[in-house]
C-alpha cells in the first residue's frame, strides 16, 4: 500500500482477488467475504457436500499454484511479489445471517472458524503457506501429503492442537517421504529436548530444502 496510489492498489487487489476467487469457485466453495486482501471461504454451506475438507485443500494448493503463475505478470507491471498464507479447519459452525437488526451478512461463526483464522496467521511464524487443523488433516490424510508442524495453543483457545502443513496431493508423498520423516524425527527430538539430535536432523532438512521455514524456525530454538 505504501508504494501505490489508492487507485493502483484497488486495481491490483481486484486482479489478485479475482485470481484467488476463481480457485474457490472451481472447487464449489462459497466466498463468505473479502477482508482487505484476505478472503474468507466456506465449503459445505449453503450446499452440503461430503468431501468439503478435500475441496478446501485442493483450493489451497490451487491458490499457491495461481500465485506462482501470475507472479511474473504482476512483476512486469511493477507490482509487488505476493506471498499468501492459508488456514484451513473443519468443524461444526453456526451458518446463516449474522449481524444487527439494521444490517446482516451470511457467514459462519464458532470455535472451528476462529481456529482457521489463527492457523492462517501462524504461516508467518513458521514460514509456510498452508496450515491445516487436526480435523482437516484426519479427514483428508489419504488423499494429501502432510507434515506435522507443532502442538500449539493458539490465542482464544485453552486446549493445544496439533497443526499440519499441507504439502501437496498424495502423489508427492514418495518424493517428500524422506524429508517429512527427517523433519518429524527432528520435531520429536526437539520435544524431548535432545538438542544435538534435533539439530543434526534439521540441518539435514535444510540441506534438502534450504529455504524451509519450519526447519529454520525449530533450528533457532535448539
Amino acid at each position: 500500500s505504501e508504494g501505490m496510489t489508492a487507485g493502483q492498489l484497488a486495481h491490483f487487489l481486484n486482479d489478485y482477488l479475482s485470481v484467488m476467487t476463481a480457485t474457490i469457485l472451481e472447487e464449489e466453495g462459497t466466498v463468505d467475504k473479502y477482508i482487505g486482501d484476505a478472503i474468507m471461504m466456506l465449503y459445505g454451506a449453503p450446499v452440503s457436500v461430503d468431501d468439503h475438507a478435500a475441496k478446501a485443500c485442493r483450493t489451497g494448493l490451487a491458490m499457491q499454484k495461481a500465485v506462482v503463475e501470475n507472479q511474473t505478470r504482476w512483476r512486469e507491471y511493477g507490482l509487488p511479489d505476493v506471498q499468501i498464507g492459508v488456514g484451513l479447519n473443519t468443524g461444526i459452525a453456526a451458518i446463516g445471517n449474522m449481524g444487527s437488526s439494521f444490517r446482516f451478512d451470511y457467514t459462519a461463526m464458532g470455535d472451528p472458524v476462529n481456529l482457521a483464522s489463527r492457523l492462517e496467521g501462524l504461516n508467518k511464524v513458521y514460514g509456510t503457506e498452508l496450515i491445516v487443523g487436526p480435523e482437516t488433516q484426519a479427514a483428508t490424510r489419504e488423499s494429501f501429503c502432510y507434515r506435522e508442524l507443532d502442538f500449539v495453543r493458539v490465542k482464544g483457545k485453552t486446549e493445544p492442537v496439533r497443526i499440519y502443513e499441507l504439502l501437496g496431493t498424495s502423489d508427492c508423498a514418495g518424493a517428500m517421504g524422506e524429508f517429512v520423516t527427517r523433519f518429524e524425527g527432528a520435531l520429536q527430538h526437539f520435544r524431548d529436548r535432545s538438542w544435538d539430535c534435533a539439530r543434526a536432523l534439521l540441518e539435514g532438512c535444510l540441506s534438502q530444502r534450504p529455504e524451509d521455514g519450519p526447519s529454520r524456525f525449530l533450528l533457532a530454538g535448539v
Side-chain angles (χ1 to χ4, degrees), residues 6-29:
Q8 289 171 330
L9 178 62
H11 179 77
F12 176 45
L13 280 181
N14 286 341
D15 186 0
Y16 166 74
L17 292 173
S18 294
V19 170
M20 294 294 101
T21 299
T23 68
I24 299 170
L25 299 180
E26 182 70 22
E27 290 294 337
E28 302 177 295

Side-chain angles (χ1 to χ4, degrees), residues 30 35 37 48 72 93 96 118 130 134 137 139-140 145 152-153 168 171 188 208 214:
T30 299
I35 311 167
D37 62 353
S48 178
T72 300
R118 302 303 183 196
L130 253 171
Q137 189 269 349
T140 62
C145 178
V152 300
R153 187 171 62 192
D171 297 339
Q188 187 58 55
Q208 287 182 267

Side-chain angles (χ1 to χ4, degrees), residues 7-213:
Q8 289 171 330
L9 178 62
H11 179 77
F12 176 45
L13 280 181
N14 286 341
D15 186 0
Y16 166 74
L17 292 173
S18 294
V19 170
M20 294 294 101
T21 299
T23 68
I24 299 170
L25 299 180
E26 182 70 22
E27 290 294 337
E28 302 177 295
T30 299
V31 174
D32 181 285
K33 61 175 66 73
Y34 298 113
I35 311 167
D37 62 353
I39 307 173
M40 179 176 173
M41 56 189 183
L42 307 175
Y43 290 81
V47 179
S48 178
V49 291
D50 293 332
D51 59 342
H52 49 82
K55 286 181 178 293
C57 289
R58 286 195 292 268
T59 298
L61 295 172
M63 286 178 165
Q64 286 182 311
K65 183 179 179 181
V67 167
V68 172
E69 291 174 345
N70 285 273
Q71 200 79 271
T72 300
R73 177 172 64 86
W74 289 327
R75 285 171 182 164
E76 289 175 350
Y77 286 102
L79 297 170
D81 283 353
V82 173
Q83 292 181 301
I84 65 171
V86 179
L88 302 176
N89 194 42
T90 302
I92 302 298
I95 308 288
N97 292 327
M98 314 283 185
S100 69
S101 57
F102 300 97
R103 181 174 178 175
F104 53 82
D105 292 305
Y106 180 86
T107 191
M109 289 187 178
D111 184 60
V113 181
N114 296 338
L115 178 56
S117 177
R118 302 303 183 196
L119 296 179
E120 184 276 326
L122 286 177
N123 283 289
K124 293 181 180 179
V125 175
Y126 293 94
T128 54
E129 291 187 346
L130 253 171
I131 296 181
V132 308
E135 299 297 332
T136 306
Q137 189 269 349
T140 62
R141 59 190 171 195
E142 300 300 323
S143 302
F144 295 89
C145 178
Y146 292 99
R147 66 166 155 174
E148 184 178 345
L149 284 179
D150 214 338
F151 193 54
V152 300
R153 187 171 62 192
V154 300
K155 183 178 179 180
K157 287 185 69 68
T158 57
E159 295 296 324
V161 296
R162 294 188 188 276
I163 62 174
Y164 300 84
E165 181 185 12
L166 174 56
L167 298 171
T169 61
S170 57
D171 297 339
C172 76
M176 296 291 293
E178 180 183 352
F179 174 81
V180 171
T181 298
R182 181 174 287 158
F183 177 84
E184 292 187 342
L187 182 61
Q188 187 58 55
H189 284 302
F190 187 92
R191 290 169 173 165
D192 294 339
R193 299 179 182 271
S194 301
W195 307 125
D196 290 341
C197 293
R199 184 181 298 107
L201 288 172
L202 290 169
E203 288 173 349
C205 289
L206 289 171
S207 69
Q208 287 182 267
R209 302 179 70 184
E211 301 304 317
D212 186 58

